[in-house]
């Protein structure tokens, strides 16, 4: 406070910047305390995860499409980076506002806390008590903000008229600033330690990864047919026909990979059925399992994109599960829901026909990776993932399209998602510079459940040349192709199209991924030297 008879002083130079630093330090405390205490609660209860998941829920289709097209499988990292920048800016503003008018600063912090808590408690599978980490973090952040700003407010005790007094004690303002920086530094160090400790504690408390590593999958009752020797194209640089787990694309709405103990997992099958069914993970292990090679494709995959992969899956046929439940007349859809609240609408008839739709527990000879749905996910040949490939699945409701809508349908996407015929050029890449002479062109094509009958390549708008197809493993997998091209110097455009097993030629009509998948012919520009 100012001494009696003295006018209030102006704000010290640089105080606004220091107030912004105080806001950032307080925000770091909010997040770190919530991270540390959140180790004892649901993983999705931490502020960053809850806020990010809520943001994804309200993301319009065009923004999701832009994010995936721009960042691909790094879309979640981009989201976290964007959130970090936003939180940094808001923290700076709140610090400055609180420095100038404490009551407004408190109101801003409480408002942000309310938004965080609302984001937490509205997540699927989160209990009201899971809001505790956010509340503790907000309280700790508010206390630290007050603590740091108190040191800045002390610098205002030096009135403009007190230059003489300041000259007698010139170190007092700088000492106050040194105290502020010391306090801010300690706060930052403690926050970093708390956040690191929270992550380590969470990892120590979770044994899901270790349990997955120890899981031994049973042999299938029906093994996958032998893969022909010629499925892999000999063109140099082609991706492997069987996609390794570590390279398999991942597109989903989960910011934090759900960690589910297989012993605790249970699937509920209900709705328009004669008999409600509940299955445990052991029930799946004891069932007659099938093994099948199936290529999956994301509906967000652009023309020529890499959001497609091929793997060998092991699981229980969904038709066997539905046989146990016995759907009633009038049902035409199964709404599958994951542990984190995502849902997909799958036509009932697709899950009951002869295709290898399954509750998968294995991928390429090992238990499902955590990020690909451990312990159980859905795999349905012929449908885009947004209407079929539910990861961490815990609920199947037999219902009608007229009565229920799924996660992405409510956001403007189709409720049916049959995969479109698509051909892709993998070699050479766009804008490649190539030597003149014979150039090997290679790629992949897919039309799951229909198969690929022909692939054609066109150079610079000339005649179509039929490519050499690699061996076909099944109608549910992609098929690689190749063609030799006598390349002359200059710029050239390579175009590709496929014909599926029914004789239908891939359409040249360009369409965006929204609402039911991209279409069109891919064109690759190269320069021959």
């Amino acid at each position: 406070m100012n001494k009696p008879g003295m006018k209030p002083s102006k704000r010290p130079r640089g105080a606004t910047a220091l107030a912004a630093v105080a806001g950032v330090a307080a925000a770091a405390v909010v997040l770190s305390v919530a991270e540390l205490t959140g180790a004892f609660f649901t993983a999705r209860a931490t502020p960053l995860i809850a806020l990010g998941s809520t943001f994804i829920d309200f993301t319009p289709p065009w923004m999701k499409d832009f994010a995936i097209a721009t960042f691909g499988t790094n879309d979640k990292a981009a989201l976290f980076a964007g959130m970090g920048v936003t939180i940094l800016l808001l923290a700076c503003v709140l610090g400055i506002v609180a420095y100038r008018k404490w009551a407004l600063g408190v109101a801003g912090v409480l408002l942000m806390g309310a938004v965080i808590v609302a984001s937490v408690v509205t997540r699927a599978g989160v209990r009201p008590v899971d809001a505790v980490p956010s509340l503790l973090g907000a309280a700790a952040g508010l206390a630290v903000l007050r603590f740091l700003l108190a040191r800045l407010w002390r610098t205002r005790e030096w009135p403009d008229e007190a230059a003489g007094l300041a000259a007698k004690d010139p170190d007092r303002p700088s000492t106050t600033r040194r105290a502020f920086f010391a306090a801010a530094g300690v706060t930052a160090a403690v926050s970093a330690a708390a956040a690191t400790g929270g992550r380590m504690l969470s990892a120590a408390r979770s044994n899901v990864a270790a349990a997955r590593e120890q899981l031994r999958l049973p042999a299938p009752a029906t093994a996958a047919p032998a893969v022909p020797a010629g499925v892999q194209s000999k063109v140099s640089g082609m991706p492997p026909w069987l996609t390794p787990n570590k390279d398999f694309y991942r597109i989903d709405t989960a910011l934090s990979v759900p960690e589910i103990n297989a012993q605790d997992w249970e699937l509920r099958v209900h709705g328009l059925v004669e008999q409600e069914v509940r299955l445990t993970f052991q029930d799946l292990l004891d069932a007659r399992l099938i093994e099948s090679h199936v290529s999956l494709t994301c509906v967000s995959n652009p023309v020529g994109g890499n959001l497609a992969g091929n793997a060998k899956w092991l699981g229980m046929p969904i038709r066997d599960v539905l046989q146990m439940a016995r759907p009633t007349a009038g049902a035409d859809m199964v709404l599958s829901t994951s542990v984190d609240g995502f849902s997909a609408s799958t036509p009932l008839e697709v899950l009951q026909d002869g295709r290898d739709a399954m509750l998968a527990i294995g991928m390429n000879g090992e238990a499902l990776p955590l990020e690909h749905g451990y312990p159980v996910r859905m795999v349905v040949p012929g449908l885009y993932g947004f209407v079929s490939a539910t990861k961490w699945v815990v609920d199947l409701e037999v219902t009608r399209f007229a009565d229920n809508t799924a996660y992405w349908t409510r956001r403007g996407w189709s409720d049916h998602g049959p995969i479109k015929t698509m051909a892709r050029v993998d070699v050479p890449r766009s804008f490649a510079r190539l030597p003149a002479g014979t150039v090997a062109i290679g790629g992949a094509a897919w039309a799951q459940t229909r198969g690929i009958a022909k692939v054609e390549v066109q150079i610079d708008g000339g005649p179509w040349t039929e490519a050499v197809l690699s061996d076909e493993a099944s109608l549910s997998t992609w098929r690689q192709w190749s063609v030799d091209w006598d390349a002359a110097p200059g710029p050239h455009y390579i175009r590709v199209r496929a014909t599926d097993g029914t004789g239908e030629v891939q359409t040249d009509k360009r369409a965006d991924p929204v609402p039911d998948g991209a279409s069109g012919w891919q064109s690759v520009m190269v320069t021959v030297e």
Side-chain angles (χ1 to χ4, degrees), residues 119-202:
S119 298
V120 168
V121 298
T122 54
R123 305 312 307 159
V126 173
R127 305 157 298 171
V129 71
D130 289 321
V132 169
S134 296
L135 293 173
L136 291 176
L142 196 58
V144 167
L145 183 62
R146 175 78 182 193
F147 174 75
L148 293 176
L149 291 182
R151 276 142 182 78
L152 288 182
W153 288 329
R154 286 178 59 192
T155 63
R156 290 188 291 186
E157 295 178 0
W158 292 93
D160 293 337
E161 294 86 346
L165 293 175
K168 295 180 180 178
D169 192 3
D171 291 334
R172 186 172 176 182
S174 60
T175 301
T176 302
R177 285 187 174 82
R178 283 198 293 269
F180 171 83
F181 282 117
V186 170
T187 299
V190 171
S191 297
T196 302
R199 287 191 291 270
M200 294 176 63
L201 188 57
S202 295

Side-chain angles (χ1 to χ4, degrees), residues 114-384:
V115 170
I116 293 173
V117 170
S119 298
V120 168
V121 298
T122 54
R123 305 312 307 159
V126 173
R127 305 157 298 171
V129 71
D130 289 321
V132 169
S134 296
L135 293 173
L136 291 176
L142 196 58
V144 167
L145 183 62
R146 175 78 182 193
F147 174 75
L148 293 176
L149 291 182
R151 276 142 182 78
L152 288 182
W153 288 329
R154 286 178 59 192
T155 63
R156 290 188 291 186
E157 295 178 0
W158 292 93
D160 293 337
E161 294 86 346
L165 293 175
K168 295 180 180 178
D169 192 3
D171 291 334
R172 186 172 176 182
S174 60
T175 301
T176 302
R177 285 187 174 82
R178 283 198 293 269
F180 171 83
F181 282 117
V186 170
T187 299
V190 171
S191 297
T196 302
R199 287 191 291 270
M200 294 176 63
L201 188 57
S202 295
R205 287 172 56 84
S206 174
N207 60 358
V208 172
R212 176 196 169 274
E213 291 291 336
Q214 296 170 6
L215 178 63
R216 296 296 174 262
L217 298 175
T222 303
V227 176
V231 296
Q232 179 66 47
S233 171
K234 295 182 180 179
V235 174
S236 177
M238 280 290 293
W241 178 82
L242 190 70
T243 309
N245 290 355
K246 64 181 180 61
D247 296 331
F248 208 95
Y249 76 93
R250 180 198 165 197
I251 298 292
D252 52 56
T253 61
L255 282 181
S256 174
V257 175
E259 296 191 1
I260 307 171
N261 286 311
Q263 295 84 354
D264 299 331
W265 178 85
E266 183 181 65
L267 177 72
R268 182 188 178 210
V269 186
H270 62 106
L272 299 179
V273 296
E274 295 181 16
Q275 176 66 51
E276 181 171 314
V277 174
R278 291 181 180 268
L279 296 175
T280 65
F281 191 71
Q282 188 61 48
D283 290 331
L284 296 191
L285 294 178
D286 295 339
R288 291 182 58 82
L289 304 180
I290 61 172
E291 191 178 55
S292 181
H293 289 95
V294 177
S295 296
L296 299 184
T297 309
C298 180
V299 71
S300 296
N301 194 42
V303 173
N306 61 356
L307 299 180
N310 184 48
K312 182 171 69 173
W313 307 93
L314 172 71
M316 180 180 182
I318 297 178
R319 59 178 174 269
D320 291 356
V321 178
L322 293 173
Q323 258 184 354
M324 298 165 61
R326 302 189 301 279
T328 60
D332 62 3
M333 185 257 275
V334 172
L335 186 71
S336 56
T337 304
S338 72
V339 72
D340 67 337
F342 171 83
S343 59
S345 56
T346 309
L348 178 60
E349 61 180 354
V350 168
L351 300 177
Q352 294 179 308
D353 63 16
R355 72 187 73 192
D356 290 335
M358 69 177 81
L359 295 172
I361 62 173
M363 181 180 183
N364 288 336
E366 62 182 67
L368 286 173
L370 269 63
E371 63 271 19
H372 288 294
Y374 177 86
V376 184
R377 67 168 292 167
M378 288 176 61
V379 171
V380 182
L383 297 182
Y384 288 117

Side-chain angles (χ1 to χ4, degrees), residues 225 228 241 292-294 449 451-452 471-479:
W241 178 82
S292 181
H293 289 95
V294 177
T449 72
I452 294 296
D471 289 345
E472 182 178 65
S474 78
L475 298 180
S476 295
T477 61
W478 57 17
R479 196 170 186 182

Side-chain angles (χ1 to χ4, degrees), residues 484-507:
D484 288 334
W485 167 42
D486 186 14
H492 298 281
Y493 290 89
I494 303 170
R495 184 178 291 175
V496 62
R497 70 183 183 188
T499 301
D500 69 20
T502 70
E504 183 175 347
V505 180
Q506 175 183 344
T507 180

Side-chain angles (χ1 to χ4, degrees), residues 61 64-65 299-300 386 408-409 411-415 513-517:
K64 171 184 177 290
D65 193 41
V299 71
S300 296
F386 82 113
W408 285 116
T409 306
R411 291 159 174 78
W413 295 73
S414 171
D415 54 7
V514 181
D516 60 359

